[in-house]
Amino acid sequence: MKKIAKLVLGLSLLAGSSLSAGAAFAATAPAITTSSTIITTGSPYLKQLPYTSQGKIYGSVPKGTKLTVLENTNKYFVKVNYNGQTGYISTMFFKAADGGTSTSPAPTPAPSKPETSGSSSATWSKQADSILSFAKSLQGKVQYVYAKNDTKNLIFDCSSFTKYVFNKEGINLPWGARAQYKLGTPVSKSELRKGDLVFFSTTATAGNKDTVNKIGHVGIYIGNNKFIHNVNPKDDVVIGDLNNTWQKNHYVASARILK
C-alpha cells in the first residue's frame, strides 16, 4: 500500500468552543507572560505551529483546563504542554488564572503562515481529495471489527477508520464518532462538501433525544450525496448514498474538520 505524502494543513483555529469569532475578537487580550498560569475559556486546538494554516492539529484542550505558558510566542498564540504534548493555543480562548486582563485592543486575525515564508498552505479541497483517495484505496483491504483500532492489520470500526484516514494528512481525530462530531464544526446537510464527516444513529442509539447521543456511526462525505464508510463486518469499506432509505432514516448530523 502506497503512502500518501503529507500536505501542510489548512485548518482554521476556530475550535468548537462556545465563543463566536466576533465575541472572541471583541474581548481584550489576556495579560500573559512566560510561566503564567492560564485557564481555557473555550476548547482551542493544540497546534504544532503558531499559525492558523500550518502544522498539525494534535487535538483540542477542554474548557476550564489550567496550563502553564511555556512561551509567549506572539500576540496570537502561546506555547503550552497538555497531556505530554507541547504545542500552541490561540490567545482567543483563555484567560489569566487570576482573572486579570490587559487593556490592549483585541488582536487582528492571526496570520495563516509565517510572514517570511514564501510557501503556500494546502487548501481544504486538496486535503479532502487526498483523504478521499486514500479512503477509497482501502476498499477490499480493511476489515471491520467493532471497537478495534488496529492500524498494523487494518482492522477498524467506523470511527477508527476515519481517524486512520485523516491521520494520513496529519489530522489527529479522536477515536469515537461522538468525539469526532464534537471536534468539528457542525454543518447542515445542505452545506455538505467533500471531506466533511457525516453521522448516523444505529439501532442502539436511535432512541436518544439529543444529537450527540444519537450518533453511533460516521462516514466521510464525497459529494453528490455519496459518502465512504467502514460499515459492518459483511461489507467493510463501501460507498453509501445519503438518499437511500436507511441513510435517510438514520442521518443525524454533519461536521466540518477541514477549514
Side-chain angles (χ1 to χ4, degrees), residues 153-256:
N153 297 302
L154 298 182
I155 303 174
F156 303 112
D157 61 14
C158 64
S159 64
S160 58
F161 173 71
T162 53
K163 173 180 171 64
Y164 179 71
V165 172
F166 272 76
N167 189 58
K168 287 296 182 179
E169 278 295 300
I171 302 171
N172 186 19
L173 296 183
W175 184 11
R178 295 174 184 178
Q180 290 177 6
Y181 173 73
K182 290 191 284 187
L183 179 66
T185 300
V187 293
S188 68
K189 201 173 185 180
S190 63
E191 296 173 321
L192 278 170
R193 69 186 190 190
K194 60 184 179 182
D196 288 345
L197 296 179
V198 286
F199 299 90
F200 305 88
S201 64
T202 63
T203 302
T205 65
N208 293 322
K209 294 182 179 181
D210 68 283
T211 297
V212 174
N213 287 330
K214 274 185 177 291
I215 291 171
H217 184 66
V218 60
I220 309 169
Y221 189 68
I222 298 172
N224 297 319
N225 287 312
K226 300 294 194 297
F227 67 102
I228 188 165
H229 57 154
N230 193 25
V231 61
N232 58 46
K234 178 183 177 181
D235 300 314
D236 301 316
V237 177
V238 295
I239 293 176
D241 192 324
L242 292 178
N243 289 325
N244 288 347
T245 301
W246 188 93
Q247 283 81 359
K248 279 185 176 180
N249 291 339
H250 288 268
Y251 173 84
V252 175
S254 304
R256 182 158 297 157

Side-chain angles (χ1 to χ4, degrees), residues 4 36 59 69 91 116 121 152 189 197 217 231:
I4 295 178
S36 291
V69 175
T91 56
T116 57
S121 298
K152 181 179 179 181
K189 201 173 185 180
L197 296 179
H217 184 66
V231 61

Side-chain angles (χ1 to χ4, degrees), residues 120-172:
S120 60
S121 298
T123 66
W124 69 266
S125 181
K126 289 180 180 178
Q127 286 184 298
D129 288 340
S130 180
I131 287 168
L132 290 168
S133 176
F134 182 53
K136 292 173 184 177
S137 77
L138 294 173
Q139 290 181 278
K141 300 176 183 177
V142 163
Q143 178 185 357
Y144 179 98
V145 175
Y146 177 72
K148 286 289 185 179
N149 182 23
D150 185 343
T151 58
K152 181 179 179 181
N153 297 302
L154 298 182
I155 303 174
F156 303 112
D157 61 14
C158 64
S159 64
S160 58
F161 173 71
T162 53
K163 173 180 171 64
Y164 179 71
V165 172
F166 272 76
N167 189 58
K168 287 296 182 179
E169 278 295 300
I171 302 171
N172 186 19

Side-chain angles (χ1 to χ4, degrees), residues 108-123:
T108 55
S112 61
K113 60 182 180 179
E115 295 179 1
T116 57
S117 172
S119 62
S120 60
S121 298
T123 66

